[in-house]
């Protein structure tokens, strides 16, 4: 079956612009996670959804970052007024449920470059 | 603090040899899971192996096995008969807070032909 997909694979934008990053989870997975990976680092948690609701958004760095999952499937991560420090790879993952024993399956990520 | 530490930024080994990647963590939880993920240049994180803390037996998946020392809070990954396709970044991860994964800084493994 299809894995987690993310679009676009690469995004170049200018400082101050708005961007949207999309994640299509594995069908039937109720939990969806966003992580951010800076160069040379491990991924860092941003937000996770159980169904349509954001169950934990404690990793979002500030109010310029926002994510939605309106129908409990596809999710969009939105970044307003982008800054150069937002440049990173944004990874999405999904799992059958939010339990710690459930494996998180990752997408290939979106590489965001803010000029 | 709940942390995951990988102390080997880079490692290299000859093809067909065995290599061990180390990971330590700090937690006050007694029942938990630990994961090793592989990230090749394609960027996609792939689960290599996972360990359940309440199980005494170390997990194995083909050429991959773990050495889990609960008291020492150590979770190392052993790769036997290494292959060129094993070249990647390897991350140890722990689900602090039960859902979100906390990753170590990674070990860049290079398999030399």
């Amino acid at each position: 079956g299809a894995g987690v997909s993310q679009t676009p694979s690469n995004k170049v934008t200018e400082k101050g612009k708005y961007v949207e990053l999309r994640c299509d989870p594995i069908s039937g997975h109720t939990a969806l996670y966003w992580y951010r990976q800076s160069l040379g680092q491990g991924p860092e948690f941003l937000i996770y959804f159980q169904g349509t609701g954001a169950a934990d958004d404690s990793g979002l760095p500030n109010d310029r970052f926002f994510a939605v999952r309106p129908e409990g499937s596809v999710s969009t991560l939105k970044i307003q007024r982008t800054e150069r420090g937002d440049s990173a790879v944004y990874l999405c993952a999904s799992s059958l449920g939010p339990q710690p024993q459930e494996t998180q399956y990752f997408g290939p990520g979106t590489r965001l470059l803010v000029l | 603090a709940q942390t995951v530490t990988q102390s080997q930024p880079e490692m290299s080994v000859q093809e067909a040899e065995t290599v061990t990647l180390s990971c330590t963590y700090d937690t006050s939880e007694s029942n938990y899971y630990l994961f090793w993920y592989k990230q090749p240049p394609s960027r996609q994180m792939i689960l290599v192996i996972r360990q359940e803390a309440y199980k005494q037996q170390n997990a194995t998946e083909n050429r991959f096995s773990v050495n889990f020392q609960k008291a020492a809070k150590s979770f190392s990954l052993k790769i036997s008969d290494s292959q060129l396709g094993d070249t990647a970044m390897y991350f140890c991860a722990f689900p602090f807070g039960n859902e979100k994964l906390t990753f170590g800084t990674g070990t860049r493994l290079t398999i030399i032909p």
Side-chain angles (χ1 to χ4, degrees), chain A residues 9-10 33 35 37 40-43 45 48 56 58 89 91 98-104 106-109 111, chain B residues 32-33 35 37 39 41-47 50 52 89 91 95 97-106 108:
Chain A
S9 56
N10 294 282
Y33 307 80
Y35 294 85
Q37 186 176 20
Q41 301 294 318
F45 170 79
Y48 109 86
D56 183 347
S58 61
V89 174
L91 296 169
Q99 295 79 14
Q101 67 268 29
E102 295 294 343
T103 296
Q104 293 186 25
F106 284 79
R111 183 182 299 278
Chain B
Y32 47 87
Y33 296 79
F35 302 86
Y37 280 88
Q39 187 177 41
S42 66
R43 286 200 314 245
Q44 187 137 14
M45 299 281 279
I46 302 164
L47 178 70
R50 74 175 201 176
E52 300 169 67
M89 285 290 292
F91 293 95
N98 285 333
E99 305 97 7
K100 52 198 176 189
L101 291 173
T102 295
F103 290 83
T105 51
R108 182 178 303 279

Side-chain angles (χ1 to χ4, degrees), chain A residues 28-72:
Chain A
H29 281 193
T30 63
L32 184 147
Y33 307 80
W34 284 100
Y35 294 85
R36 178 167 73 173
Q37 186 176 20
S38 300
L39 193 63
Q41 301 294 318
E44 293 180 324
F45 170 79
L46 294 176
I47 184 171
Y48 109 86
F49 291 86
Q50 175 55 30
T52 60
D56 183 347
D57 65 357
S58 61
L60 294 178
N62 51 59
D63 61 6
R64 296 186 298 105
F65 289 75
F66 189 71
V68 295
R69 194 186 185 198
E71 298 178 357

Side-chain angles (χ1 to χ4, degrees), chain B residues 37-98:
Chain B
Y37 280 88
K38 166 186 177 180
Q39 187 177 41
S42 66
R43 286 200 314 245
Q44 187 137 14
M45 299 281 279
I46 302 164
L47 178 70
V48 175
I49 198 166
R50 74 175 201 176
Q51 174 75 43
E52 300 169 67
Y54 63 86
K55 286 191 174 179
Q56 297 291 331
Q57 189 173 6
N58 287 325
T60 62
E61 286 287 342
N62 301 312
R63 297 182 295 107
F64 299 88
S65 61
V66 302
N67 182 5
F68 174 53
Q69 302 289 331
K70 190 173 183 180
K73 297 179 181 176
S74 170
F75 179 58
S76 60
L77 174 69
K78 178 180 166 183
I79 306 174
S80 303
D81 185 25
S82 56
Q83 300 175 359
L84 296 179
D86 296 334
T87 292
M89 285 290 292
Y90 286 81
F91 293 95
C92 176
F94 187 106
F96 293 114
N98 285 333

Side-chain angles (χ1 to χ4, degrees), chain A residues 3-97:
Chain A
V4 178
S5 62
Q6 293 186 245
T7 54
S9 56
N10 294 282
K11 176 70 177 179
V12 181
T13 191
E14 294 179 344
K15 180 175 177 295
K17 299 289 188 182
Y18 168 83
V19 296
E20 289 189 353
L21 312 179
R22 176 188 169 107
C23 172
D24 278 271
I26 293 172
S27 177
H29 281 193
T30 63
L32 184 147
Y33 307 80
W34 284 100
Y35 294 85
R36 178 167 73 173
Q37 186 176 20
S38 300
L39 193 63
Q41 301 294 318
E44 293 180 324
F45 170 79
L46 294 176
I47 184 171
Y48 109 86
F49 291 86
Q50 175 55 30
T52 60
D56 183 347
D57 65 357
S58 61
L60 294 178
N62 51 59
D63 61 6
R64 296 186 298 105
F65 289 75
F66 189 71
V68 295
R69 194 186 185 198
E71 298 178 357
S73 179
V74 170
S75 176
T76 305
L77 178 65
K78 308 179 181 195
I79 311 174
Q80 300 177 321
R81 304 183 304 280
T82 52
E83 300 177 356
R84 293 192 179 88
D86 299 335
S87 296
V89 174
Y90 289 81
L91 296 169
C92 176
S94 70
S95 65
L96 280 171

